[in-house]
Amino acid sequence: LAVSRGAEARRGAFRAAWHWSVGYGAVAFVALFMLRWLDRVPYLTEAIPYHRISGHRAYADRIAAALGNEGSFVVADQYTRASLLAYYLPGRPVVRSATSFLGGRRSSYDYFADTSLRDPGLIGLDAVLIGATPERWSAAFRFDSIEPRLPPEAKRAAVYLGRGFGGPTSP
């Protein structure tokens, strides 16, 4: 049987596309399992934000170990960090977000009584402060003192202990 050139050309194009997609899929499959190592290559760290999907449990365990029993409540500088820590910190304590006090937009953390930083019951307690800098924390909230607990590490925020929480600096 004679096959037309058009049908043969389509078959060849289909075969080439099939081989290319299988090859691309195989490379992508292997690359997915190498993300942890690819994230350490200096020029690829910004292109591959692997830290956003991994390491949260270990980071929360380091925070808990460094603080021991210190700190009566936990505050993160970003609501995304607050939610991750609320899930991964041992014992799952209430974690509050200071995003709106530090110049960001309001989130659901600002509207609920158990996560609000305007709660008068927090006055005088010590706070575990995660992220931001002591200067930014002092500008947003009143503390007797702010002490470093964990220095920042690769793509992870610093941790401080704020002694004697006095509430937000602005109403």
Side-chain angles (χ1 to χ4, degrees), residues 36-93:
R36 180 179 301 196
W37 295 281
L38 289 173
D39 187 50
R40 295 181 184 151
V41 176
Y43 297 106
L44 293 178
T45 52
E46 294 304 316
I48 303 171
Y50 185 69
H51 65 281
R52 289 185 175 189
I53 60 170
S54 69
H56 303 299
R57 184 179 311 279
Y59 179 57
D61 288 344
R62 283 190 64 236
I63 291 171
L67 294 168
N69 293 329
E70 291 187 271
S72 299
F73 65 99
V74 181
V75 184
D77 63 340
Q78 302 170 357
Y79 56 88
T80 51
R81 186 173 286 140
S83 1
L84 285 167
L85 290 171
Y87 183 78
Y88 285 111
L89 277 172
R92 297 215 174 132

Side-chain angles (χ1 to χ4, degrees), residues 46-151:
E46 294 304 316
I48 303 171
Y50 185 69
H51 65 281
R52 289 185 175 189
I53 60 170
S54 69
H56 303 299
R57 184 179 311 279
Y59 179 57
D61 288 344
R62 283 190 64 236
I63 291 171
L67 294 168
N69 293 329
E70 291 187 271
S72 299
F73 65 99
V74 181
V75 184
D77 63 340
Q78 302 170 357
Y79 56 88
T80 51
R81 186 173 286 140
S83 1
L84 285 167
L85 290 171
Y87 183 78
Y88 285 111
L89 277 172
R92 297 215 174 132
V94 172
V95 179
R96 292 163 170 83
S97 170
T99 303
S100 63
F101 295 96
L102 296 170
R105 69 177 178 86
R106 291 178 63 95
S107 71
S108 57
Y109 284 93
D110 299 313
Y111 298 108
F112 295 103
D114 64 334
T115 58
S116 174
L117 286 166
R118 295 190 188 282
D119 180 2
L122 299 175
I123 303 296
L125 299 177
D126 294 342
V128 177
L129 308 172
I130 301 165
T133 61
E135 295 78 26
R136 288 189 68 206
W137 287 115
S138 295
F141 303 100
R142 290 182 289 278
F143 289 102
D144 294 337
S145 66
I146 296 178
E147 307 165 2
R149 283 295 186 250
L150 275 178

